[in-house]
C-alpha cells in the first residue's frame, strides 16, 4: 500500500494529462476519509506542492486538487506545512486570475489556512509594509461587491476569514484603520440574506470591539452602521412605539417601526451583545450606547428572548450598565 501511495503521488506530476487527472481524482477521494488523510500525510512533502501546482490547471484537474487541499488543511500538522510553503500567496494569486473557476474552494482553503496564526500573518502580509493589507482589501472588496445578486456567492466564506484575522491584534488594527474604511464596508454586509455572511460580519465586529479601549473613536466613526448591526438582532420582535423611537437615530427607529425578520441564529445574537458589552466597558462607549436608546432596546429584546445562553449575554450587559451608572437603567428589568 505504501508503494502504491508513493506512485500515486508521483503521478500528480506526470506529463500526461490523463494520468494526472486520474491521480488527482483518487487523491481527492482519499482525503474524504480519516484513514485516507492519515495515509497521505506521510507523503506531504511531495503531495502538497504537487497539488498546489495543479491549482492553475484546467478545471477538471484544479477542482479536485483544490478539494483535496481543503480536506487536507483540516489537519493541523498539514496546514502548518501549507503555510510554510507559501500556499496563502499561491491561493490568492490563483483566486484573482481572470479565468479562475474554483473560487469557492479557494476561499474555503483560505478559511482553513487562517485558523493558524502564521496563516493569518501571511494573509495580512505583515512582513512587507509596501503590500501590508493588500490581500485583505481585495477579499473585502470581493465580499462586498455582489453580495445581493446571488444566493450562492462564492465569496460568502470571506466572512469566516475576517473572523479569523480579527482574532489577531494586527488584523483588528487593519480592519479598524479609518483610512482604509474596511470595517464600514464589512458592517454593511449584515443586511445580507446569507446566514453565513451575517455570522461572519457579527463575529468580525465582536472581535474588533476587543480594541475598544484604544480604538473606540474608530469604532464610533461607523456608528451609523454599527448600532443597527448590533442592536437589530437583539431588539426582539415587537414594533416599537413612537416615544421609544424618538430617542433613536433614524436608521434604528425606522427599522423598529415595522415588522422585521428575526435573527434566528443565537450565536449572532450573543456576538452582538458581547460587542455592545465591550464597547460599554468604556465611558464614552456607554454614553454612545445611551444616546441611541440602547438600554431600552436590549430590555425589550430580553423580554422576547428564550435561549438561555443569549439571556445570559443580555444579563451580563444589563449588570454592567446598572453598576457603571449607579442609577436604575431600563436594562435592570432584565434580571427579573
Amino acid at each position: 500500500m505504501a508503494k502504491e501511495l508513493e506512485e500515486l503521488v508521483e503521478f500528480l506530476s506526470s506529463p500526461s494529462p490523463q494520468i494526472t487527472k486520474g491521480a488527482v481524482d483518487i487523491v481527492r477521494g482519499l482525503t474524504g476519509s480519516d484513514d485516507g488523510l492519515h495515509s497521505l500525510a506521510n507523503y506531504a512533502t511531495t503531495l502538497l506542492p504537487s497539488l498546489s501546482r495543479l491549482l492553475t490547471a484546467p478545471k477538471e484537474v484544479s477542482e479536485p486538487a483544490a478539494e483535496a487541499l481543503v480536506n487536507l488543511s483540516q489537519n493541523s500538522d498539514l496546514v502548518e506545512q501549507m503555510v510554510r510553503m507559501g500556499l496563502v500567496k499561491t491561493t490568492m494569486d490563483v483566486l484573482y486570475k481572470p479565468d479562475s473557476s474554483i473560487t469557492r474552494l479557494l476561499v474555503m482553503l483560505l478559511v482553513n489556512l487562517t485558523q493558524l496564526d502564521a496563516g493569518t500573518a501571511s494573509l495580512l502580509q505583515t512582513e512587507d509594509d509596501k503590500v501590508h493589507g493588500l490581500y485583505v482589501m481585495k477579499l473585502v472588496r470581493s465580499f462586498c461587491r455582489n453580495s445581493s445578486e446571488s444566493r450562492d456567492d462564492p465569496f460568502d466564506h470571506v466572512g469566516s476569514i475576517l473572523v479569523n484575522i480579527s482574532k489577531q491584534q494586527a488584523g483588528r488594527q487593519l480592519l479598524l484603520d479609518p483610512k482604509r474604511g474596511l470595517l464600514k464596508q464589512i458592517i454593511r454586509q449584515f443586511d445580507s440574506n446569507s446566514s453565513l455572511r451575517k455570522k461572519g460580519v457579527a463575529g468580525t465586529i465582536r472581535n474588533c470591539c476587543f480594541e475598544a479601549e484604544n480604538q473606540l473613536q474608530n469604532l464610533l466613526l461607523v456608528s451609523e452602521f454599527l448600532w443597527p448591526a448590533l442592536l437589530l438582532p437583539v431588539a426582539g420582535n415587537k414594533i416599537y412605539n413612537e416615544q421609544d423611537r424618538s430617542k433613536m437615530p433614524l436608521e434604528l427607529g425606522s427599522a423598529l417601526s415595522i415588522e422585521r425578520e428575526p435573527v434566528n441564529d443565537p450565536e449572532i445574537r450573543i456576538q452582538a451583545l458581547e460587542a455592545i458589552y465591550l464597547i460599554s466597558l468604556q465611558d464614552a462607549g456607554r454614553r454612545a450606547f445611551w444616546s441611541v436608546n440602547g438600554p431600552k432596546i436590549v430590555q425589550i429584546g430580553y423580554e422576547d428572548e428564550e435561549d438561555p445562553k443569549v439571556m445570559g449575554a443580555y444579563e451580563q450587559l444589563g449588570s454592567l450598565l446598572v453598576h457603571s451608572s449607579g442609577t436604575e437603567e431600563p436594562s435592570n428589568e432584565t434580571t427579573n
Side-chain angles (χ1 to χ4, degrees), residues 168-179 183 205 207-223 226 278-279 282 284-285:
Q168 304 297 321
Q169 185 177 41
R172 295 192 294 268
Q173 290 176 344
L174 175 69
L175 297 178
L176 284 165
D177 183 349
K179 293 180 181 178
L183 185 61
I205 297 172
N207 288 347
C208 285
C209 287
F210 277 101
E211 296 294 314
E213 183 177 359
N214 299 314
Q215 299 225 37
L216 182 64
Q217 188 59 42
N218 288 337
L219 280 166
L220 296 181
L221 279 174
V222 294
S223 58
L226 179 67
L278 291 167
I279 291 172
Q282 311 304 315

Side-chain angles (χ1 to χ4, degrees), residues 21-84:
K21 173 72 168 68
V24 75
D25 283 341
I26 295 172
V27 168
R28 172 179 57 181
L30 287 171
T31 63
S33 70
D34 290 339
D35 289 343
L37 282 172
H38 182 74
S39 299
L40 287 169
N42 296 319
Y43 304 93
T45 304
T46 306
L47 174 66
L48 297 179
S50 297
L51 290 173
S52 176
R53 285 192 294 271
L54 294 178
L55 292 176
T56 58
K59 185 177 181 180
E60 62 267 19
V61 172
S62 63
E63 186 171 68
E67 288 183 18
L69 285 168
V70 169
N71 291 338
L72 289 163
S73 64
Q74 297 175 55
N75 179 295
S76 58
D77 293 330
L78 294 180
V79 79
E80 286 185 20
Q81 295 185 54
M82 292 179 184
V83 172
R84 284 200 303 268

Side-chain angles (χ1 to χ4, degrees), residues 61-207:
V61 172
S62 63
E63 186 171 68
E67 288 183 18
L69 285 168
V70 169
N71 291 338
L72 289 163
S73 64
Q74 297 175 55
N75 179 295
S76 58
D77 293 330
L78 294 180
V79 79
E80 286 185 20
Q81 295 185 54
M82 292 179 184
V83 172
R84 284 200 303 268
M85 62 179 261
L87 190 56
V88 170
K89 181 182 186 305
T90 300
T91 303
M92 285 296 297
D93 289 345
V94 177
L95 179 61
Y96 284 97
K97 283 183 178 294
D99 56 348
S100 178
S101 58
I102 52 172
T103 298
R104 179 176 293 278
L105 289 167
L106 294 173
V107 174
M108 291 173 67
L109 179 56
L110 287 172
V111 172
N112 290 348
L113 293 174
T114 53
Q115 289 183 16
L116 205 67
D117 288 353
T120 293
S122 183
L123 188 69
L124 291 171
Q125 301 163 287
T126 54
E127 295 182 359
D128 190 342
D129 289 341
K130 293 181 181 179
V131 295
H132 174 55
L134 181 60
Y135 285 164
V136 175
M137 291 175 70
K138 283 185 173 183
L139 288 170
V140 170
R141 185 167 63 242
S142 299
F143 183 59
C144 299
R145 189 167 47 203
N146 299 315
S147 61
S148 61
E149 296 179 7
S150 171
R151 286 185 176 181
D152 191 32
D153 186 348
F155 284 100
D156 273 354
H157 285 277
V158 168
S160 300
I161 298 173
L162 296 172
V163 171
N164 288 344
I165 67 170
S166 61
K167 291 176 181 177
Q168 304 297 321
Q169 185 177 41
R172 295 192 294 268
Q173 290 176 344
L174 175 69
L175 297 178
L176 284 165
D177 183 349
K179 293 180 181 178
R180 297 179 189 264
L182 297 176
L183 185 61
K184 177 179 177 180
Q185 297 175 57
I186 294 165
I187 292 174
R188 295 175 74 174
Q189 294 306 302
F190 195 80
D191 291 336
S192 168
N193 293 323
S194 164
S195 59
L196 178 63
R197 187 175 284 261
K198 276 183 181 290
K199 185 176 288 188
V201 172
T204 301
I205 297 172
R206 179 252 191 194
N207 288 347

